[in-house]
Amino acid sequence: KAGVTQTPRYLIKTRGQQVTLSCSPISGHRSVSWYQQTPGQGLQFLFEYFSETQRNKGNFPGRFSGRQFSNSRSEMNVSTLELGDSALYLCASSLEGRGTTGELFFGEGSRLTVL
Amino acid sequence: AQSVTQLGSHVSVSEGALVLLRCNYSSSVPPYLFWYVQYPNQGLQLLLKYTSAATLVKGINGFEAEFKKSETSFHLTKPSAHMSDAAEYFCAQGDSSYKLIFGSGTRLLVRP
């Protein structure tokens, strides 16, 4: 079974630009979450989608947005990039339903550098 | 608010020595607890998880963790460190919304 796939793996942008990151979850997983990882703040929750609906959102500004498609693939977008947005963005998928343990399966991440 | 505390941002051990990485959680109800490992430039890989079935949980690569409710702890151990264990380790707690709350991470260094 293929794992979580994130594209692109690396990208460089300049301040003020916008970026879109893509995530394909494990087949059968309907929940997709996004996390930002930085040396200073660690792993911070961005948002979680299930069946094309955002169910949970972290404490990030409105420049950070996401969506999920009917095939469970997800994208996240960051507009008006700032230097502080430089980070590893991790996508994770999970099974849904009572009795599941909330275990997340992570992709390898998209490393964004903002110059 | 729920939180996860990992004591020690860096832990250094000799190859063959015991590995002990500490994690304390905060939850008033039995939580789901996880340990993840991250190698450089990679995502997080699940080492093990606690789901209330047993207090001593065995994971991959010889790691295990013991859930102690009285101490709100879920420390990760491995009897004998290997060079390949050098990585960053994250303890995490699941909440009711399927979101994971991560600790700040512990970087394990293994000396030859």
Side-chain angles (χ1 to χ4, degrees):
Chain A
K1 200 178 227 186
V4 177
T5 304
Q6 291 188 246
T7 57
R9 287 291 315 279
Y10 302 91
L11 65 167
I12 300 173
K13 294 285 186 178
T14 57
R15 281 180 298 175
Q17 288 186 311
Q18 68 94 26
V19 66
T20 298
L21 308 178
S22 179
C23 172
S24 293
I26 291 173
S27 177
H29 286 194
R30 297 167 64 190
S31 171
V32 173
S33 302
W34 289 89
Y35 288 78
Q36 182 196 62
Q37 185 178 24
T38 60
Q41 299 298 317
L43 282 153
Q44 292 187 289
F45 172 75
L46 280 158
F47 26 64
E48 186 253 353
Y49 287 87
F50 177 79
S51 289
E52 303 178 65
T53 300
Q54 186 183 88
R55 294 196 301 188
N56 209 345
K57 189 178 189 306
N59 189 26
F60 278 82
R63 300 185 297 107
F64 291 81
S65 63
R67 59 178 175 169
Q68 186 181 34
F69 301 96
S70 58
N71 61 358
S72 294
R73 191 177 69 85
S74 177
E75 290 181 347
M76 67 162 284
N77 183 78
V78 188
S79 62
T80 319
L81 284 166
E82 301 176 0
L83 294 179
D85 297 333
S86 294
L88 181 66
Y89 290 88
L90 292 164
C91 171
S93 71
S94 65
L95 288 170
E96 168 64 352
R98 301 298 176 187
T100 59
T101 58
E103 175 181 345
L104 297 183
F105 297 83
F106 284 84
E108 294 194 314
S110 293
R111 183 166 296 282
L112 170 66
T113 302
V114 182
L115 302 177
Chain B
Q2 294 179 346
S3 64
V4 175
T5 303
Q6 291 184 240
L7 291 176
S9 59
H10 291 79
V11 170
S12 180
V13 301
S14 297
E15 191 173 20
L18 171 72
V19 176
L20 171 60
L21 304 182
R22 301 178 187 273
C23 172
N24 288 90
Y25 67 92
S26 70
S27 175
S28 59
V29 297
Y32 294 133
L33 295 167
F34 308 85
W35 275 100
Y36 283 86
V37 61
Q38 185 178 34
Y39 298 99
N41 296 316
Q42 293 188 22
L44 278 68
Q45 179 185 3
L46 181 70
L47 274 178
L48 50 79
K49 62 183 179 184
Y50 168 75
T51 59
S52 76
T55 57
L56 184 62
V57 182
K58 294 188 183 298
I60 63 172
N61 301 337
F63 284 94
E64 62 182 36
E66 185 173 9
F67 173 73
K68 290 187 177 180
K69 184 178 180 180
S70 61
E71 300 177 6
T72 60
S73 69
F74 189 57
H75 301 332
L76 181 70
T77 61
K78 181 174 181 178
S80 177
H82 192 273
M83 296 297 291
S84 61
D85 295 327
E88 189 155 21
Y89 293 79
F90 292 92
C91 182
Q93 174 180 320
D95 72 5
S96 58
S97 62
Y98 296 95
K99 176 180 68 178
L100 290 189
I101 300 166
F102 285 91
S104 55
T106 298
R107 187 169 298 277
L108 176 65
L109 307 172
V110 182
R111 305 186 303 272

